Amino acid sequence: MAEQNKFRELPIEPRGIFWQEDFVSPDHEQRLISIFLNELEWPDRSGRISLHYGYTFDYKTFGIDPDIPYKEFPEWLQPLIPMTEDRPPEQVCLQYYPPGSGIPPHVDAHGPYDQLYALSFGAPVFMQFRRGEQRVEVDLTPRAMMQMTGDSRLHWTHGIKKRKNDVLEDGTVRPRGDRWSITYRWVREGGECECGNIELCDTAQRRNGIEKEKRSLKELAEKASMDNATT
């Protein structure tokens, strides 16, 4: 595996995106894909699926699920933990993205989580960062580790559009393929964020008496559609 002290900040808006190419070697990437395909038990459903180590991510509150016990990191995951923090992450999420899948624009909850890293492998895909009318796409290339801090972490949403192809700057149409990722989250000590962003920060919203939406409107619509189909 590559040395883990070669992060560089991308010279773009949003600020605070740090990047390391080739965090793992091509051979290591193939071993990881083999582990993901052959050694892990994934949920039996279509679309994007996930597994969790450490504490489990709660998709209703966007924090930690208090009802699921801590799950130790497997041996193969240990060398993939970024060494740039002063302690291991408390939550690690493995995800599989079939071609064409995506994730809605969002921010990881400010209160529960502090640092945020993501390692990509398999096919590349564009992640879109959004703030107001601004849109910036970052190419999540295979084997690269991304760290989101500052503005990129707190004040811009990030997501992946659902589409079968991505269009590169030179106009080349790049079909999407199978993609996997490992997302690392560190629990914020004290559970209080002081950024004050009333639109995106759960701490600021709570302090101002605003109840945070637990699910995206799209997820609610999909659930209602499924419920109607079974009644």
Side-chain angles (χ1 to χ4, degrees):
M1 187 176 63
E3 295 180 19
Q4 300 194 42
N5 59 354
K6 297 182 178 179
F7 284 92
R8 60 180 180 85
E9 185 176 6
L10 298 184
I12 63 171
E13 289 285 342
R15 304 299 299 176
I17 300 177
F18 289 83
W19 194 266
Q20 182 175 330
E21 295 282 358
D22 296 320
F23 188 84
V24 296
S25 68
D27 286 344
H28 194 167
E29 177 188 31
Q30 291 306 309
R31 291 199 300 274
L32 290 174
I33 291 175
S34 178
I35 290 172
F36 274 50
L37 289 175
N38 304 309
E39 299 181 23
L40 301 179
E41 295 184 9
W42 295 90
D44 185 16
R45 63 173 183 268
S46 61
R48 177 170 61 98
I49 51 178
S50 59
L51 294 172
H52 303 270
Y53 290 102
Y55 295 107
T56 294
F57 186 88
D58 189 329
Y59 289 96
K60 294 181 180 179
T61 66
F62 307 118
I64 284 174
D65 191 326
D67 298 323
I68 300 179
Y70 184 93
K71 187 176 181 180
E72 296 292 339
F73 298 153
E75 184 175 349
W76 62 264
L77 182 59
Q78 298 285 349
L80 301 173
I81 294 175
M83 303 302 292
T84 45
E85 302 299 320
D86 59 4
R87 69 183 195 274
E90 282 83 16
Q91 201 280 318
V92 174
C93 178
L94 317 182
Q95 298 199 82
Y96 164 63
Y97 294 81
S101 62
I103 50 177
H106 69 284
V107 293
D108 286 54
H110 291 194
Y113 302 115
D114 187 4
Q115 298 295 338
L116 178 65
Y117 290 69
L119 173 64
S120 298
F121 50 100
V125 72
F126 279 111
M127 173 170 280
Q128 186 180 86
F129 289 82
R130 300 172 56 176
R131 183 175 65 181
E133 298 301 316
Q134 294 176 275
R135 305 286 188 272
V136 177
E137 290 197 324
V138 174
D139 199 2
L140 302 183
T141 51
R143 303 185 301 281
M145 177 74 83
M146 175 178 64
Q147 179 190 10
M148 293 166 54
T149 68
D151 279 354
S152 68
R153 163 75 180 93
L154 299 175
H155 304 306
W156 293 62
T157 65
H158 60 277
I160 297 174
K161 286 184 171 294
K162 285 187 175 182
R163 58 194 183 202
K164 294 294 185 181
N165 303 289
D166 288 320
V167 179
L168 307 184
E169 288 186 359
D170 63 2
T172 300
V173 176
R174 184 178 67 193
R176 289 194 182 174
D178 292 318
R179 175 178 175 266
W180 295 266
S181 71
I182 304 176
T183 301
Y184 311 77
R185 299 181 178 93
W186 278 257
V187 170
R188 185 184 297 279
E189 294 183 5
E192 297 284 308
C193 177
E194 302 300 332
C195 77
N197 188 327
I198 195 68
E199 179 183 358
L200 297 177
C201 178
D202 53 308
T203 300
Q205 291 169 351
R206 176 176 50 78
R207 289 174 178 175
N208 285 271
I210 301 171
E211 183 176 353
K212 183 174 176 62
E213 185 180 54
K214 303 304 182 185
R215 297 176 182 265
S216 71
L217 293 177
K218 187 170 186 180
E219 288 172 328
L220 287 172
E222 288 176 350
K223 183 178 186 301
S225 177
M226 292 178 61
D227 290 345
N228 292 336
T230 58
T231 56

